[in-house]
Amino acid sequence: MKPNIYRFADVVDGTDVYEKIKDAIINNRMIPVLGSGFSYGFKANNGTVPSVNDLKEKIKQELTEDEEYDEYDAEELERFDLSRLSDMFMQLLEEHSDGDKVFAPKSFLKYMEDHFYNVHDCPNYIKSFLRCDWEYLYTLNYDDTIEKTLPEYEVVVPYRNLNQKWLKEKKCVIKLHGDVHTMLSCKEMKYCTLSKSQYLNSITSSENKDLMEWLQDDCSSKDLLFIGCSLSGEYDFLFAEGTKRVSQLSYDASENSFYIYYDCDPEGKIPLYVRSDLGNYGIKNIIRVTPDEMPEFYSLICEFFKEKASIQKEDKLEKYRNFVFEQLTSCDLACNLPYIFENKSLLANPRNNTILFPYFYTHRTVSKNIINALERGIPVCIIAGNRFAGKTYALLEIVDELQKKHKKVYYIGDKNISTQILNYIISCYHQAVFVFDCRTIENRQFQNIILNNLNAMVENSIQIVYAVNRSDRNFTKVIHIDESMRGFVDRFNSRF
């Protein structure tokens, strides 16, 4: 599928791409991925953050200073790209290394310290963008621009076994390709990923298993915003995107990812090979932004976050309760077929929370089982099934029956719930049932917040019903509870 291409000047209120970006931010789905172009030119310890071409020149210099290379080789090196030069550089270092560790030469370490360490010239509009209360950010850069701006964020580097339970409660900067601080402290080249062999080692290393799973999860469930990334030879993202396609995670994946194309030739056309490469990375939307428009682009993102904060402050959970349930009285095919083939929304009138079931709807055994489990005091109940099996119908039937029993029940089916709101529900509500449809809460939220707070839920008489899809890659982790953990799981396959 070809990506959609937009000019930033056309990204205005009411347009499709404007609403996509806004929706991704407000519903906590957008995660930035920041590449070398993001911090290029910022002042550092003793120089500026280099471009890809600058780094290429440095590696070429390192190669030509070795006795194995003569003047003819130097001329040939001019034709090589950064990836090829980096492969040669790593081969040279490996030949001179003792054991498994590959150390950087002093001259290269000095270059890294001069150009990637202690970055201190970040413009205010970029600082504002970074401070937009992101849950976490990915960066492909070695420099410390982001963590200098966000000192409260935890820095996640490769080749570390991650304490995910702890990290999910923190805000993080995830440095996929390495980190100048770590490299300078241990001198190892693996903290400066440049060559194909380094990419492959990074992807396959058992030490990076947690990190790669995190990235794969986000490629299938988040809306990634690529800024300053060439996405040329980024094998970790190709691996994550390929895994998503092979495992068919894309059935439940987000439909949006956004690539900011730094547009130095606004009158020209984006080259075919660029469009093709971006398609391979699963990019759905390309936004052409000229250099002069970049501050305005960052400002737009900040405005969306201000709107999000306003919504979260004013939004009352009361709008997620007191539903009115009705059912079509006609068996007319024209009225009922959209519910089968178009997955028509059951929320017929959002203003008064009217739910309209189709004529063919019948009561489900699974709904009765869940209600019985709730009445036994089970705090967490899960409905697990295939996509389009009718889990939403079952959830709404549960809401209807609980309302008839005069229970305080909330149904959330169209909005991602923030960690802050989820913690607030568990700690501040009493004698209430919360019914969550698929993907309104993340699997890691379910595991780290809900399952870790069962005692508090029991004390406050809070109960949760949660639906999951079998195609969810963390499905087995989510449903690995039973009544010994005060949980109840029911599975079903049929939609009707």
Side-chain angles (χ1 to χ4, degrees):
M1 179 177 167
K2 293 182 180 179
N4 302 308
I5 300 177
Y6 308 89
R7 295 187 183 277
F8 179 67
D10 298 326
V11 181
V12 296
D13 193 0
T15 59
D16 180 57
V17 66
Y18 181 98
E19 296 301 328
K20 284 180 180 179
I21 298 172
K22 178 179 174 181
D23 180 72
I25 289 173
I26 288 176
N27 287 301
N28 300 313
R29 291 196 314 273
M30 180 168 282
I31 304 295
V33 181
L34 308 177
S36 61
F38 180 78
S39 54
Y40 166 64
F42 295 172
K43 291 180 182 178
N45 197 50
N46 187 29
T48 60
V49 178
S51 66
V52 170
N53 285 334
D54 295 332
L55 189 55
K56 172 182 169 181
E57 288 301 314
K58 174 58 183 174
I59 293 176
K60 188 170 63 177
Q61 177 188 345
E62 293 283 341
L63 288 170
T64 54
E65 288 178 357
D66 189 270
E67 60 185 16
E68 290 187 16
Y69 291 86
D70 55 28
E71 184 176 342
Y72 174 79
D73 293 324
E75 293 178 1
E76 190 174 4
L77 292 177
E78 291 287 346
R79 300 194 296 269
F80 294 161
D81 60 13
L82 178 62
S83 178
R84 174 70 68 84
L85 290 171
S86 299
D87 284 335
M88 298 171 67
F89 185 43
M90 284 300 298
Q91 289 172 8
L92 185 65
L93 296 180
E94 287 167 0
E95 290 173 3
H96 297 161
S97 67
D98 294 325
D100 295 332
K101 293 184 178 181
V102 178
F103 296 103
K106 291 181 179 179
S107 57
F108 193 73
L109 288 172
K110 181 66 167 61
Y111 179 84
M112 295 295 291
E113 183 176 7
D114 286 347
H115 296 276
F116 293 92
Y117 181 77
N118 192 26
V119 177
H120 55 269
D121 190 35
C122 182
N124 287 332
Y125 63 86
I126 290 184
K127 288 181 179 179
S128 296
F129 168 82
L130 290 174
R131 291 170 178 158
C132 275
D133 196 33
W134 303 101
E135 290 187 28
Y136 53 92
L137 309 90
Y138 288 107
T139 178
L140 312 182
N141 301 338
Y142 324 113
D143 66 73
D144 56 11
T145 301
I146 302 173
E147 50 268 45
K148 284 282 186 180
T149 306
L150 303 172
E152 70 276 18
Y153 278 51
E154 299 294 331
V155 178
V156 178
V157 299
Y159 298 101
R160 296 284 192 274
N161 291 316
L162 303 182
N163 182 353
Q164 295 191 65
K165 180 179 176 181
W166 185 80
L167 285 172
K168 298 310 180 186
E169 299 299 317
K170 308 294 181 182
K171 294 183 180 296
C172 302
V173 180
I174 304 172
K175 308 194 78 169
L176 291 171
H177 292 172
D179 170 57
V180 66
H181 289 255
T182 309
M183 184 184 185
L184 292 174
S185 66
C186 69
K187 302 189 289 185
E188 287 190 66
M189 279 299 298
K190 70 179 183 179
Y191 296 108
C192 179
T193 302
L194 289 166
S195 69
K196 290 179 183 177
S197 61
Q198 286 179 295
Y199 277 109
L200 294 175
N201 287 338
S202 177
I203 292 169
T204 58
S205 170
S206 60
E207 293 177 294
N208 284 338
K209 180 176 180 291
D210 294 334
L211 188 58
M212 290 309 301
E213 285 186 352
W214 194 340
L215 179 61
Q216 290 169 46
D217 283 345
D218 285 347
C219 281
S220 66
S221 62
K222 295 291 188 179
D223 294 348
L224 302 182
L225 174 65
F226 295 90
I227 302 176
C229 306
S230 68
L231 290 185
S232 176
E234 306 294 354
Y235 298 101
D236 37 17
F237 277 95
L238 278 177
F239 173 77
E241 176 64 19
T243 302
K244 179 182 76 174
R245 293 177 183 178
V246 170
S247 62
Q248 297 185 328
L249 290 173
S250 54
Y251 288 139
D252 282 324
S254 166
E255 291 299 320
N256 295 313
S257 53
F258 304 89
Y259 180 87
I260 304 307
Y261 181 78
Y262 199 67
D263 201 356
C264 294
D265 182 21
E267 301 302 320
K269 190 175 182 180
I270 298 177
L272 177 61
Y273 74 90
V274 173
R275 287 178 277 143
S276 176
D277 285 350
L278 294 179
N280 289 334
Y281 286 93
I283 301 295
K284 301 295 191 300
N285 305 282
I286 301 174
I287 303 175
R288 302 181 63 164
V289 185
T290 66
D292 292 340
E293 291 174 330
M294 285 304 297
E296 189 179 349
F297 165 76
Y298 287 120
S299 177
L300 177 65
I301 299 298
C302 293
E303 288 301 315
F304 287 146
F305 269 91
K306 289 178 183 177
E307 186 172 347
K308 172 187 174 183
S310 176
I311 289 173
Q312 287 184 334
K313 184 177 180 180
E314 298 175 2
D315 191 16
K316 304 299 182 184
L317 290 178
E318 290 298 314
K319 76 176 187 178
Y320 296 108
R321 59 184 300 239
N322 298 323
F323 289 88
V324 177
F325 290 89
E326 299 177 356
Q327 186 170 3
L328 286 175
T329 57
S330 172
C331 61
D332 178 63
L333 283 177
C335 298
N336 286 276
L337 281 179
Y339 289 91
I340 303 175
F341 296 110
E342 299 175 16
N343 200 26
K344 182 178 178 179
S345 173
L346 298 175
L347 187 60
N349 190 340
R351 292 186 178 180
N352 63 2
N353 278 359
T354 297
I355 300 294
L356 182 61
F357 286 124
Y359 178 83
F360 58 75
Y361 176 75
T362 58
H363 294 286
R364 314 298 181 85
T365 301
V366 66
S367 302
K368 183 178 180 180
N369 293 342
I370 294 294
I371 291 171
N372 289 339
L374 293 171
E375 290 178 343
R376 296 200 310 272
I378 301 296
V380 178
C381 298
I382 296 176
I383 293 181
N386 297 325
R387 294 182 76 241
F388 306 115
K391 295 183 294 298
T392 298
Y393 286 81
L395 291 176
L396 288 170
E397 182 179 350
I398 292 168
V399 173
D400 187 19
E401 292 301 316
L402 291 176
Q403 284 188 172
K404 291 176 182 177
K405 295 174 182 289
H406 305 291
K407 298 286 187 180
K408 189 176 183 180
V409 56
Y410 298 81
Y411 169 72
I412 301 169
D414 62 348
K415 185 175 183 179
N416 294 80
I417 298 301
S418 67
T419 296
Q420 180 182 3
I421 293 295
L422 200 53
N423 280 317
Y424 182 79
I425 286 172
I426 292 172
S427 60
C428 298
Y429 278 78
H430 300 273
Q431 295 183 334
V433 179
F434 289 86
V435 180
F436 295 99
D437 214 330
C438 296
R439 298 184 65 200
T440 53
I441 56 176
E442 297 179 359
N443 293 333
R444 56 176 68 106
Q445 288 178 312
F446 182 83
Q447 295 174 65
N448 296 337
I449 299 175
I450 295 174
L451 293 186
N452 287 338
N453 288 280
L454 291 176
N455 289 333
M457 291 172 60
V458 171
E459 285 181 17
N460 295 335
S461 297
I462 296 296
Q463 295 174 292
I464 285 176
V465 181
Y466 177 40
V468 296
N469 292 317
R470 292 187 189 279
S471 56
D472 189 317
R473 72 183 311 271
N474 284 319
F475 172 77
T476 54
K477 296 180 184 178
V478 173
I479 68 168
H480 189 60
I481 62 174
D482 54 30
E483 293 201 41
S484 65
M485 294 177 63
R486 290 180 291 187
F488 176 84
V489 179
D490 207 327
R491 303 167 176 81
F492 72 111
N493 298 305
S494 175
R495 182 169 185 172
F496 307 115

